[in-house]
Amino acid sequence: MDNITIITGSTLGGAEYVADHLSDLLNEKGITTHVFNEATIEEIPLTGHWLIITSTHGAGEYPDNIQPFITQLEAQKPDLSSLKYAVIAIGDSSYDTYCAAGIHADQLLETLGAGRINARLDIDVTQDPVPEDPAEAWLSTWLHD
């Protein structure tokens, strides 16, 4: 794995902070990253490796900056069988819709044929107020330092 596309869904910036932190760690290991804070299907390779980092907004919705990308995936249903992916979901466990956007993204990519690199990480901001910490620990489990 020499290149990872990182796609964020963020309302208040938490997912973007996690993306920037993991991007820096990956770069240190010689892995090139491309971070998209407002992704479109036209600009993202449908092969290789994706890391989706998204919070959940409102009553289980995606944040505004990733919703159009998810809508494109659902409408166009591209063949993602040449894609490997991982998802980090950020949420607040006091809500019924805890991590709903990340759970949906994980299921959507699997339905479109993509192969999961690692189990989805659900970060509860009530337990981990600095979501970069559990994300970094999770990343190391599949980078095999």
Side-chain angles (χ1 to χ4, degrees):
M1 171 177 10
D2 57 354
N3 190 335
I4 296 180
T5 300
I6 302 174
I7 302 162
T8 68
S10 192
T11 301
L12 302 175
E16 291 175 17
Y17 295 138
V18 171
D20 290 342
H21 181 65
L22 295 186
S23 177
D24 290 344
L25 294 174
L26 290 162
N27 293 164
E28 288 171 11
K29 298 209 175 279
I31 299 170
T32 303
T33 58
H34 300 281
V35 179
F36 291 88
N37 294 322
E38 291 190 26
T40 65
I41 247 181
E42 295 79 22
E43 64 185 345
I44 302 238
L46 300 181
T47 61
H49 296 86
W50 288 2
L51 173 55
I52 293 185
I53 304 170
T54 188
S55 60
T56 298
H57 178 68
E61 290 94 34
Y62 285 96
D64 290 344
N65 70 316
I66 195 172
Q67 181 61 58
F69 178 70
I70 297 297
T71 300
Q72 284 181 309
L73 288 174
E74 291 174 326
Q76 296 179 21
K77 296 182 176 32
D79 175 7
L80 299 181
S81 59
S82 297
L83 178 75
K84 300 290 185 198
Y85 77 95
V87 174
I88 296 177
I90 302 172
D92 179 331
S93 63
S94 66
Y95 288 87
D96 292 343
T97 56
Y98 173 62
C99 290
I103 292 167
H104 177 266
D106 188 21
Q107 293 168 344
L108 175 61
L109 294 177
E110 184 179 45
T111 299
L112 295 174
R116 192 177 290 114
I117 297 170
N118 198 9
R120 185 187 68 250
L121 172 64
D122 294 343
I123 299 174
D124 182 356
V125 295
T126 66
Q127 302 296 316
D128 290 296
V130 181
E132 291 89 335
D133 294 341
E136 182 175 333
W138 172 86
L139 181 68
S140 69
T141 66
W142 58 275
L143 281 184
H144 309 296
D145 297 286

